[in-house]
Amino acid sequence: MATTALIPGVAGAQAQAAPASAPAPAPAVESYADLIFTGGKVVTVDSADRITDSVAVRGNRIVAVGDVAGWRGPQTRIIDLKGRTLLPGFIDAHSHVAGMANVEANHINIQVPPLRDANAIIDTLRAAAKTKPAGAWLIGQGTYNQVMPTRAQLDAAFPDNPVRLDWSAHDTIINHRAAVILGMGKDFPDPPAGSPGRYERTRDGEVAIIRDAPVTWPRSEFTYAQMKEGVRAVLDDFYLKKGVTTVSDLSPPQAYRAMMELRNEGRLPTRVRMNYLARSVTMAEQFLESGVFTGLGDDMLRVGALKMFMDGVWGTTAATYEPAWKGSGTTWVPNNMGGTSMDQPTINKIILTARERGWQVQIHANGDRAQDMVLDAFENANRLSPKPDARDRIEHFGHFLKLDPARTEKRLERLSELGVIPSPQIAFLWRLTDVNIKEPGVKFFPLRDLIDRGLQPPGGVDTVGTQNFATNPMFSIQRAVHRDTKFGRIVQKDQAISVMEAIKMFTIWSARANFMEKSLGSIEVGKLADLVVLEQDPLTTPSAKLSTIPVAMTVVDGKVAYERP
């Protein structure tokens, strides 16, 4: 596989964009397919939603769909689908591969369920402590809204071990020993007023819970070599084996260096779109000065968007117009309307500069106030540096849609008018508690409303350890169609979408959101041969069983990369 000059850092990075791929030529005499899939149901996801029975692949391209007889030769491998279903390879539009690799390698799984309660978490941490040196850090990975031990319980159980327990990448509880090591006592300063983050403290003023606020954690012992192998394992086990052939990733630059090395070694399991994550204005400015821009690279590794954060998460740190709901399921603070990481002039400047320097932009904005500020900045960029097909994205738009008629309708209209792509992660509907779903005046993951407006939300899982099991796109497809939580509740069934629409979220709509639709996202002649075979037909499977459909085979770049044992 060819190498690239692309450098994943920020200083002086240079690369050459790969030329556009030409359509596959018509078959010549003695020119045969390398692979033919036949005898099943081929869901093409083309513009006509055509369904056929056969596909031919030569090299890394699709050369025939439907009538493949002329492509059968003596060396052609015929794969009998035996009634199974063939789809375009799934595309995950928003993931954090390096973060997942770190959690899988170094964190203690404390998720409830399958653990029973806070006592079970403490027992799990105690068992882990026995395998570590005295006084070692105990880092537990939970999931959104789950029960956690109290600060008093953690202090009593672990007086000598620093403990850090994550609900997600946004919310963490620490014990007294950890606060002492981190220097987060009563005199530790709060984040600036108006910013998204906050610290919640004990009666003595010591930091106990950290919500989207700065922490200088001890240096990770995750070496580069371990990270590289961890990234490979995550792409293989959590994506390729789940039918995902392309991951639009959000990882640190050193992870992209590792992916380049893996690609050059022939060990990169999937295609990766490398989105550069800027956690501060300074980082964003460094990326913008680097000479890198969206589209550099090749079909296996390509530079994606510049990603920034505008606010935090719903219920605690999202920037909203109205105070957070008291029953939100997390620590309630009166009159909490969150905060933003940037003021309007700053976000305007960064997005305009990114537009001028060739970047697609993705902005994390959960709250309605933050979303309006981002739309203002996109509108400003459209006026001063027009680009008809910028495909700017708001990540998490549509997780919680506040039904504020004066503002909500206008926000949705502007989203369409500006051509901004909403990027919700429907997998998170699964974690809504019976209390969460009672929040008044909110639509939860309103995919039906977004799609009915002509919007095409891409599919992604956005896990940094919180829901690694959800990387199977069929998990999200079930949530989009059946609308069920882990507690067995059906949430706002009127927002359910069809199975075909949910499939499009993880194929052609994800391809379009990442500027890949000319080569990926559907089964059409000339496109790259990325395919997935499912053991059952999702179009006829009961909606409550969609996530149980196994992947039989994954094809990447015209080669069978995974076969189910």
Side-chain angles (χ1 to χ4, degrees), residues 187-246:
D187 296 325
F188 191 78
D190 282 326
S195 62
R198 72 169 190 257
Y199 303 116
E200 296 171 16
R201 300 173 183 267
T202 66
R203 289 183 178 180
D204 297 332
E206 189 173 76
V207 173
I209 296 179
I210 301 155
R211 299 198 187 278
D212 277 316
V215 185
T216 304
W217 298 110
R219 183 178 177 86
S220 172
E221 296 180 1
F222 202 31
T223 67
Y224 176 78
Q226 290 170 332
M227 182 271 292
K228 177 180 173 180
E229 188 57 28
V231 162
R232 185 210 59 76
V234 164
L235 288 173
D236 190 21
D237 295 339
F238 288 88
Y239 291 97
L240 181 73
K241 292 176 182 176
K242 308 301 183 187
V244 178
T245 55
T246 299

Side-chain angles (χ1 to χ4, degrees), residues 479-499:
R479 261 71 258 170
V481 175
H482 194 62
R483 304 283 297 186
D484 54 325
T485 73
K486 65 180 176 181
F487 304 101
R489 297 291 184 268
I490 303 300
V491 181
Q492 296 176 347
K493 189 65 175 178
D494 64 313
Q495 291 301 317
I497 62 175
S498 71
V499 175

Side-chain angles (χ1 to χ4, degrees), residues 102-231:
N102 183 43
V103 166
E104 289 296 314
N106 298 314
H107 291 197
I108 305 160
N109 191 326
I110 58 163
Q111 296 199 355
V112 179
L115 295 183
R116 185 181 65 258
D117 53 24
N119 290 329
I121 291 174
I122 289 175
D123 289 344
T124 300
L125 294 170
R126 279 184 173 136
K130 292 178 181 177
T131 69
K132 298 176 180 291
W137 275 85
L138 302 176
I139 303 176
Q141 180 64 60
T143 189
Y144 285 101
N145 290 343
Q146 75 167 57
V147 63
M148 285 286 193
T150 65
R151 173 62 177 270
Q153 286 176 306
L154 289 177
D155 288 344
F158 305 102
D160 301 318
N161 290 89
V163 178
R164 164 188 167 185
L165 306 183
D166 294 344
W167 282 279
S168 68
H170 301 272
D171 305 277
T172 298
I173 183 171
I174 59 175
N175 70 345
H176 170 68
R177 183 65 184 147
V180 170
I181 291 173
L182 295 170
M184 303 184 79
K186 63 183 179 61
D187 296 325
F188 191 78
D190 282 326
S195 62
R198 72 169 190 257
Y199 303 116
E200 296 171 16
R201 300 173 183 267
T202 66
R203 289 183 178 180
D204 297 332
E206 189 173 76
V207 173
I209 296 179
I210 301 155
R211 299 198 187 278
D212 277 316
V215 185
T216 304
W217 298 110
R219 183 178 177 86
S220 172
E221 296 180 1
F222 202 31
T223 67
Y224 176 78
Q226 290 170 332
M227 182 271 292
K228 177 180 173 180
E229 188 57 28
V231 162

Side-chain angles (χ1 to χ4, degrees), residues 344-402:
Q344 194 68 56
T346 301
I347 188 63
N348 284 0
K349 178 182 177 182
I350 289 175
I351 288 180
L352 177 60
T353 304
R355 173 72 60 81
E356 293 171 342
R357 298 187 183 178
W359 284 91
Q360 182 190 27
V361 177
Q362 298 175 198
I363 304 289
H364 168 125
N366 258 299
D368 46 9
R369 182 160 57 91
Q371 290 166 359
D372 281 346
M373 291 177 68
V374 173
L375 288 171
D376 286 346
F378 285 144
E379 185 174 40
N380 178 70
N382 286 354
R383 183 176 66 255
L384 299 178
S385 183
K387 184 178 181 181
D389 195 23
R391 304 191 199 182
D392 295 316
R393 290 166 47 171
I394 297 182
E395 303 305 304
H396 321 307
F397 190 106
H399 279 197
F400 295 77
L401 189 63
K402 186 72 174 176

Side-chain angles (χ1 to χ4, degrees), residues 15 27 76 193 207 212 223 268 272 287 290 357 370 394 450 454 457 521 560:
T76 303
V207 173
D212 277 316
T223 67
L268 185 66
V272 176
F287 288 132
S290 68
R357 298 187 183 178
I394 297 182
L450 295 177
V560 177

Side-chain angles (χ1 to χ4, degrees), residues 14 65 115 216 255 460 505:
Q14 297 179 352
V65 179
L115 295 183
T216 304
M505 288 182 67

